[in-house]
Amino acid sequence: MAGLGSSRLRLFAAIAAVLIILGPVAPRTSEISLLKINRRQPVTVPASALGQMAVVQELAECWLVEAPPPLAARLLAAGVSLEVLDDSTAGRVYHLLFAATSEQIALADPLGRVVHLEPGVGLLSSARELSRAELPADVAVKRLSGTVAAPLSFQVPGRGTAIPRPTADARLQPYDPRIGQMIAAVSQGMLSDGIRDLEAFQTRYASTSNCEAAGTSIHSYFSRLGLATESDYFTFTANNYATSNIIATIPGQVEPDRTVIVCAHYDSTSTQPATNAPGADDNASGTASVMEMARILAGYQFDYTVKFIAFSAEEWGLYGSRHYAQAARQRGEQIIGVVNLDMIGYPDFRPEELDVIVDGQSAWLGEKYVASANAYAPLPIIQSTNPSARGSDHSPFWDAGYSALLGIEDSPVRNPYYHKTTDTFGTLDMAFATAVTRASLAAVAELAQPVSLTPPPTGVAAHSLTARSIFTSRKTTVITWDAGDRNIVGYNVYRSLASHGAYQRVNSSLVKQTYYVDRLLLPDVPYYYVVTAVDLQGRESNYSVEVS
Amino acid sequence: MRKSDSAWAAALGAAVAACVLTAVPLEAQAPSGLPRLAVSVTAGAMRPLEAPVRDLYSSVFLPVTVEADFRLTRRFFVFASGQFLSQDGEVVYDLPPAPVERFGLTLSTTSLRFGVGAWFPWGRWVLGAAGGMSHTRYKERWADAEVPAATGSAVGLIGQGGAEYRLSPWLSAVGRVEYSHVPLDETRELVPTFDLSGVSVSGGVLVRF
């Protein structure tokens, strides 16, 4: 018996030893940590880790990312420069605070824990919801919620790409002489008149009757052009004041549900806002530019809808644009891109350069703007990605998940008359403002696409399937579209690695069927497709809607 | 890889080994006159433990193993072996309206193993158990596709139990049950990889020198 007992003991010991060596399956956790990841440092992370991370905010120097706690340790081990801001986000409410100084951000200290993320940006973590009235008045606030489409530009280990990168000389669209005609129609005189007319209201400070009169004037101008025009009323500062955005529309002929927006705020401010705020540069210049574009584009038809919007109450805290962008998100408006012009007339030196500012998700739009300007109306442009630039009407569109850019003479502002009673027409360089208007018109027209003789394919969709072997994963994408009319003899499919980027044709000969298979692509790389139709005369249509 | 699978397989191997170690009486152990060196060639069937591996390739892989055993003492020996495997599979893309597309796969592995074991002659039978480490080099290729071949290596563990029937003083028939644990480092690849662990049954001949 003793020998038998000893044998069983050794058997159990052997089994136990094996199980201990193999180790138990680690318990899974549903907790989520909030991480600050330094985006300046190039790092390499496993692709599998990217799928577990959700970007909740992109800033100039960092990303705020939600991830399971064990992933933070893995990222640290992989050499990622990160800081754990909160071990668990459960029960926490986060507000981003934007201000000129860290002292202004520190005013929020009594409300919770404030972490300074980068110059001018703080994160307030509180245990309860906070009203706007509780938060510091001089600080721009954004409540963190959901995720954003900010691209994490980590380096992912791979075996090289099978897809050739677009070459630098790849064209966005063939040169369109109609856009050339539009550019030629931009009138410096009309633009000047527009600025002077707005300045003549003496003040356009939102909450004043003069501001409302300016809005009425803009409404009338759009209406006289034959554009469908509406006043989009809203209240601001706890419903104390009411004002309206003025919206004029050119309906799209092919995909009317997709919209290109060009906008500017028409309200102004100064040291005497109620009585004397001429705001010639800020922002009669941008508003007059939008009005001039409307005058010209009203005579054309486009594939996509074009909206010209003059926002109000920007100077009070981006109320007009936030009202519009949030409503657009709620109703599911498909906005292709937003071009926001704010202060485009004052040159701090000549030749002045236009600053084009985007966030990560809008980088394509900035590149498109520059490419369009180079093709049709060249002017010096400095494009920069700065998600922390929140001071104008593009910002609420970023927050709503749309692509938007800010066109501004200088960022930071260098106009010595900024927000003063001396911001008058005489300080402006109208040649520069005209050049910006031409460049912006080119970008808007390229985005909206003047209607072509051959209609582009509709119903374009892409479906992908990622299949894997033991070691390798590859994605195959099928792009489908609706059949065109009898005049269509085939289709071309174009692909880009960046949204609305430099498309390159992927089919070697005309595609006869209504689908195309793009095989064995890298699974972690987004690919963007457009399709064109070719008719019996060999004419190629505009690009279709982009799909990915 | 589900850890519970490997745990059960390892436990099974350990149980077999423990039974052999404890159940065979000492009197039945090897006559001292047997040669010290033995070489065996076996072929068998291996079942991969990872379901996706089975789905991609086959439920049964067919490895061939050449093993050399060297008897250190009356009971214990060391071994070195090489296992070779080549298996075809396919990846399928079904994306209507495009026709179904299939891309052939070939997985080949070469595994070198080293370890120690104990044996227990019992008349014409010899029962044995062994364990050790493996170093596996693998290569996976996609046929007719511009996908780079994946190559690499992995270090793992093996556990064996087996029986030998002596047909003559120098020739035996041999059968083995084996568990091999071949983990792969997921962070080295584009995607988390499966592991190549499996349980196999094999048979062959053994020659003593």
Side-chain angles (χ1 to χ4, degrees):
Chain A
M1 286 296 289
L4 185 59
S6 174
S7 299
R8 283 179 176 170
L9 196 60
R10 289 159 69 181
L11 173 61
F12 291 143
I15 294 172
V18 168
L19 293 176
I20 289 170
I21 289 170
L22 289 172
V25 175
R28 294 191 179 277
T29 174
S30 59
E31 285 201 336
I32 296 295
S33 296
L34 184 64
L35 314 178
K36 172 191 172 187
I37 297 181
N38 180 3
R39 60 182 298 184
R40 300 292 188 202
Q41 177 192 6
V43 292
T44 300
V45 298
S48 57
L50 289 178
Q52 301 174 50
M53 301 160 63
V55 182
V56 293
Q57 183 64 47
E58 179 192 34
L59 295 168
E61 297 180 5
C62 64
W63 291 290
L64 299 185
V65 171
E66 288 184 342
L71 185 60
R74 280 184 64 196
L75 293 173
L76 278 169
V80 177
S81 171
L82 67 81
E83 178 184 341
V84 179
L85 298 175
D86 239 336
D87 289 328
S88 173
T89 58
R92 307 300 297 177
V93 178
Y94 299 99
H95 288 86
L96 277 173
L97 310 175
F98 300 91
T101 65
S102 56
E103 288 75 20
Q104 290 173 304
I105 292 172
L107 292 174
D109 278 340
L111 300 171
R113 189 165 64 89
V114 176
V115 178
H116 293 267
L117 300 172
E118 61 185 51
V121 185
L123 179 71
L124 169 63
S125 169
S126 56
R128 62 177 178 84
E129 292 286 350
L130 298 171
S131 70
R132 184 64 185 87
E134 292 179 272
L135 293 158
D138 292 336
V139 173
V141 177
K142 179 191 173 189
R143 189 189 186 288
L144 277 188
S145 63
T147 59
V148 299
L152 284 165
S153 57
F154 286 135
Q155 296 169 358
V156 178
R159 298 191 179 86
T161 174
I163 308 302
R165 295 265 164 188
T167 55
D169 60 351
R171 291 254 329 115
L172 297 180
Q173 282 270 48
Y175 183 88
D176 189 331
R178 289 168 299 173
I179 296 179
Q181 292 170 5
M182 297 174 201
I183 300 299
V186 174
S187 162
Q188 183 172 322
M190 296 289 286
L191 192 58
S192 300
D193 290 346
I195 295 173
R196 278 193 287 253
D197 288 347
L198 289 167
E199 186 182 335
F201 286 96
Q202 297 184 339
T203 181
R204 300 186 308 281
Y205 188 56
S207 76
T208 65
S209 58
N210 293 42
C211 180
E212 296 314 297
T216 303
S217 169
I218 295 167
H219 189 290
S220 299
Y221 182 87
F222 285 149
S223 297
R224 286 198 301 274
L225 297 174
L227 300 175
T229 306
E230 60 178 305
S231 296
D232 174 27
Y233 288 97
F234 62 94
T235 57
F236 62 103
T237 66
N239 299 339
N240 284 333
Y241 299 111
T243 184
S244 62
N245 301 323
I246 311 300
I247 305 169
T249 303
I250 301 174
Q253 300 300 303
V254 177
E255 298 271 358
D257 292 338
R258 294 175 186 263
T259 307
V260 176
I261 291 176
V262 57
C263 61
H265 73 89
Y266 69 91
D267 64 313
S268 65
T269 190
S270 74
T271 50
Q272 302 167 34
T275 56
N276 187 8
D281 189 30
D282 185 13
N283 184 34
S285 63
T287 307
S289 177
V290 171
M291 294 165 73
E292 177 65 355
M293 283 187 254
R295 181 183 72 81
I296 296 163
L297 298 185
Y300 294 86
Q301 291 185 319
F302 296 89
D303 288 349
Y304 308 123
T305 293
V306 182
K307 283 187 176 180
F308 307 90
I309 307 181
F311 287 121
S312 187
E314 190 263 4
E315 302 291 6
W316 283 76
L318 317 179
Y319 283 98
S321 52
R322 183 171 294 115
H323 166 77
Y324 183 90
Q326 290 179 347
R329 173 51 66 200
Q330 285 177 355
R331 64 176 173 263
E333 185 172 342
Q334 300 176 67
I335 299 174
I336 296 171
V338 178
V339 175
N340 172 42
L341 301 177
D342 194 353
M343 302 176 69
I344 58 166
Y346 179 81
D348 60 333
F349 64 91
R350 290 182 173 85
E352 179 60 277
E353 295 160 323
L354 178 70
D355 288 5
V356 170
I357 298 170
V358 295
D359 66 351
Q361 67 180 332
S362 312
W364 71 268
L365 184 59
E367 289 162 8
K368 179 99 177 178
Y369 186 99
V370 173
S372 301
N374 288 340
Y376 293 99
L379 83 163
I381 296 175
I382 300 172
Q383 183 189 343
S384 60
T385 299
N386 182 5
S388 300
R390 318 291 297 188
S392 189
D393 290 319
H394 60 284
S395 173
F397 288 95
W398 287 353
D399 293 342
Y402 294 117
S403 296
L405 67 79
L406 167 64
I408 186 169
E409 64 216 10
D410 292 298
S411 178
V413 172
R414 294 204 181 102
N415 185 341
Y417 312 109
Y418 173 65
H419 286 184
K420 292 180 180 174
T421 57
T422 49
D423 180 8
T424 56
F425 179 78
T427 65
L428 304 185
D429 176 350
M430 288 311 301
F432 176 68
T434 305
V436 173
T437 301
R438 288 182 174 135
S440 302
L441 188 150
V444 170
E446 276 236 325
L447 286 167
Q449 299 186 166
V451 169
S452 55
L453 291 172
T454 304
T458 57
V460 181
H463 306 284
S464 295
L465 175 64
T466 297
R468 56 171 301 179
S469 61
I470 295 177
F471 299 101
T472 309
S473 184
R474 283 293 183 271
K475 174 173 67 179
T476 287
T477 299
V478 171
I479 303 100
T480 59
W481 54 89
D482 296 338
D485 62 31
R486 290 179 190 171
N487 290 326
I488 303 302
V489 294
Y491 304 89
N492 287 319
V493 179
Y494 295 82
R495 181 180 63 201
S496 172
L497 294 175
S499 178
H500 298 85
Y503 297 114
Q504 290 189 322
R505 197 172 77 178
V506 291
N507 53 302
S508 54
S509 57
L510 271 186
V511 178
K512 300 296 184 183
Q513 64 272 28
T514 56
Y515 68 87
Y516 180 81
V517 184
D518 203 12
R519 297 177 178 83
L520 304 175
L521 306 164
L522 294 176
D524 298 315
V525 177
Y527 298 91
Y528 302 89
Y529 299 91
V530 292
V531 186
T532 62
V534 178
D535 66 13
L536 286 166
Q537 287 76 40
R539 293 176 302 208
E540 188 168 14
S541 73
N542 286 336
Y543 291 147
S544 70
V545 166
E546 181 187 87
V547 294
S548 65
Chain B
M1 161 86 187
R2 288 186 306 159
K3 284 207 168 183
S4 56
D5 285 349
S6 58
W8 279 112
L12 181 64
V16 171
C19 289
V20 171
L21 283 168
T22 54
V24 178
L26 288 175
E27 309 84 68
Q29 291 189 13
S32 58
L34 279 180
R36 282 182 176 272
L37 183 63
V39 174
S40 63
V41 177
T42 58
M46 184 186 87
R47 178 177 171 79
L49 295 180
E50 290 270 30
V53 175
R54 299 195 295 268
D55 294 342
L56 281 167
Y57 287 93
S58 170
S59 297
V60 178
F61 288 16
L62 302 173
V64 173
T65 306
V66 178
E67 179 173 316
D69 302 339
F70 184 79
R71 185 163 58 86
L72 297 173
T73 67
R74 208 168 64 128
R75 177 179 286 190
F76 295 104
F77 63 92
V78 293
F79 73 89
S81 67
Q83 187 179 74
F84 310 95
L85 170 67
S86 181
Q87 191 72 38
D88 291 334
E90 67 177 11
V91 170
V92 180
Y93 290 93
D94 185 4
L95 276 166
V100 174
E101 292 191 319
R102 300 172 187 276
F103 294 92
L105 296 174
T106 302
L107 173 69
S108 53
T109 68
T110 302
S111 179
L112 298 178
R113 298 109 167 271
F114 306 91
V116 297
W119 67 331
F120 307 95
W122 198 356
R124 295 176 77 92
W125 289 90
V126 178
L127 303 178
M133 299 187 68
S134 65
H135 180 266
T136 302
R137 293 189 61 81
Y138 54 78
K139 182 173 187 177
E140 185 183 55
R141 286 170 296 166
W142 289 51
D144 305 322
E146 291 182 6
V147 177
T151 58
S153 61
V155 174
L157 299 171
I158 57 169
Q160 291 181 347
E164 171 190 338
Y165 183 76
R166 281 188 286 149
L167 302 171
S168 73
W170 54 272
L171 183 65
S172 299
V174 63
R176 294 193 186 106
V177 177
E178 177 183 289
Y179 166 71
S180 64
H181 178 59
V182 185
L184 299 172
D185 179 6
E186 71 174 48
T187 63
R188 289 167 47 202
E189 304 297 337
L190 273 171
V191 290
T193 52
F194 309 121
D195 76 34
L196 294 174
S197 301
V199 176
S200 62
V201 178
S202 60
V205 294
L206 179 146
V207 180
R208 295 190 184 282
F209 300 95

